[in-house]
């Protein structure tokens, strides 16, 4: 599953579908606020701000359920998978990459209608492999972040400190480029915080 900003307000429905399908959940940077928190199936972002788990899960899947996502970069979409895209805006369907099926609809309402029709899968090996891969990536990234040995303050370290001390409902914004990468990689989402940057390409 691949979620975009159209997933706002559909957290429970997305987790229910992911549980039924035994699917991992990758997301765009604009969906971090809505999909990263309280999500045991999260495998993080794709794209230039993303990580290897999200990237390879999308490229290796045989079917992709794309939810409220209009991600611009074609090289991060799978070439061989069947893609079902759900979006409230019909002009987004198939705009970035060819799709097998397009559904015009609100993500929450569409998944509520879809869930009873889905057959529960028993094999969770694909999801488990990528959830583990994402956990290893996160652990390696955390280990790299440290205060500068020469008195400098690396941006990644500063961002983690800000995340640790910021309010639970803080609003964050970041300039383009490296500050956005620091923010989207190191600010922890919790369902109340929001992040804002120029991400529409």
């Amino acid at each position: 599953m691949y979620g975009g900003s159209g997933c706002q307000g559909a957290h429970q429905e997305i987790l229910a579908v992911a549980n039924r399908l035994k699917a991992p959940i990758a997301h765009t940077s604009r969906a971090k606020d809505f999909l990263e928190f309280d999500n045991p199936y999260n495998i993080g972002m794709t794209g230039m701000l993303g990580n290897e788990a999200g990237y390879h899960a999308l490229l290796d899947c045989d079917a992709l359920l794309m939810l409220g996502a209009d991600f611009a970069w074609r090289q991060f979409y799978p070439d061989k998978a069947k893609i079902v895209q759900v979006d409230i805006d019909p002009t987004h369907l198939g705009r970035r990459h060819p799709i097998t099926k397009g559904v015009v609809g609100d993500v929450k309402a569409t998944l509520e209608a879809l869930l009873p029709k889905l057959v529960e899968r028993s094999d969770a090996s694909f999801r488990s492999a990528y959830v583990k891969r994402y956990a290893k990536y996160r652990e390696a990234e955390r280990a790299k972040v440290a205060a500068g040995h020469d008195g400098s303050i690396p941006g990644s370290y500063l961002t983690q400190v800000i995340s640790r001390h910021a309010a639970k409902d803080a609003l964050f914004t970041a300039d383009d480029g490296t500050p956005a990468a620091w923010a989207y990689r190191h600010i922890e989402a919790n369902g109340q915080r929001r992040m804002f940057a120029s991400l529409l390409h």
Side-chain angles (χ1 to χ4, degrees), residues 11-79:
H11 190 262
Q12 287 184 319
E13 292 75 17
I14 290 165
L15 290 186
V17 169
N19 184 52
R20 184 76 52 93
L21 296 177
K22 305 298 182 276
I25 302 170
H27 58 84
T28 66
S29 51
R30 294 180 69 214
K32 173 183 170 83
D33 297 344
F34 317 126
L35 294 178
E36 184 179 81
F37 72 100
D38 294 339
N39 181 352
Y41 317 131
N42 180 41
I43 56 170
M45 296 179 292
T46 61
M48 290 175 274
L49 299 180
N51 74 91
E52 61 183 69
Y55 172 76
H56 285 291
L58 258 67
L59 294 189
D60 295 344
C61 71
D62 55 15
L64 180 65
L65 179 56
M66 199 160 82
L67 304 169
D70 189 38
F71 187 70
W73 304 100
R74 291 178 65 101
Q75 65 266 39
F76 295 100
Y77 287 97
D79 288 326

Side-chain angles (χ1 to χ4, degrees), residues 21 24 41 71 74 77 81 89 97 106 125 129 164 183 193:
L21 296 177
Y41 317 131
F71 187 70
R74 291 178 65 101
Y77 287 97
D89 184 342
H97 193 279
D106 170 78
S125 58
R164 211 167 34 244
R193 291 176 167 181

Side-chain angles (χ1 to χ4, degrees), residues 121 130 168 196:
R121 291 179 48 111
Y130 284 101
K168 289 181 181 177
F196 302 94

Side-chain angles (χ1 to χ4, degrees), residues 27 29 32 36 45-52 134 137-138 141-142 144-145 155-156 159-160 163 174 177-189 195:
H27 58 84
S29 51
K32 173 183 170 83
E36 184 179 81
M45 296 179 292
T46 61
M48 290 175 274
L49 299 180
N51 74 91
E52 61 183 69
Y134 181 60
Y137 159 79
R138 295 278 296 181
E141 283 297 299
R142 283 190 192 104
K144 284 190 232 173
V145 176
S156 54
T159 308
Q160 279 200 358
S163 179
T178 308
W182 293 332
Y184 281 90
R185 289 177 181 157
H186 300 292
I187 298 289
E188 294 288 333
M195 295 185 59

Side-chain angles (χ1 to χ4, degrees), residues 7 13 23 48 81 87 90 92 94 97 99 122 126-128 133 155 158 162 180 185-186 195 200:
C7 292
E13 292 75 17
M48 290 175 274
D87 205 291
H92 289 182
H97 193 279
I99 60 174
S122 57
F126 184 85
R127 179 174 71 195
S128 296
R133 190 168 182 173
L158 176 62
I162 290 170
R185 289 177 181 157
H186 300 292
M195 295 185 59
L200 293 176

Side-chain angles (χ1 to χ4, degrees), residues 74-94:
R74 291 178 65 101
Q75 65 266 39
F76 295 100
Y77 287 97
D79 288 326
K80 298 174 184 171
K82 293 180 178 177
I83 300 176
V84 175
Q85 183 178 2
V86 177
D87 205 291
I88 201 157
D89 184 342
T91 67
H92 289 182
L93 299 179

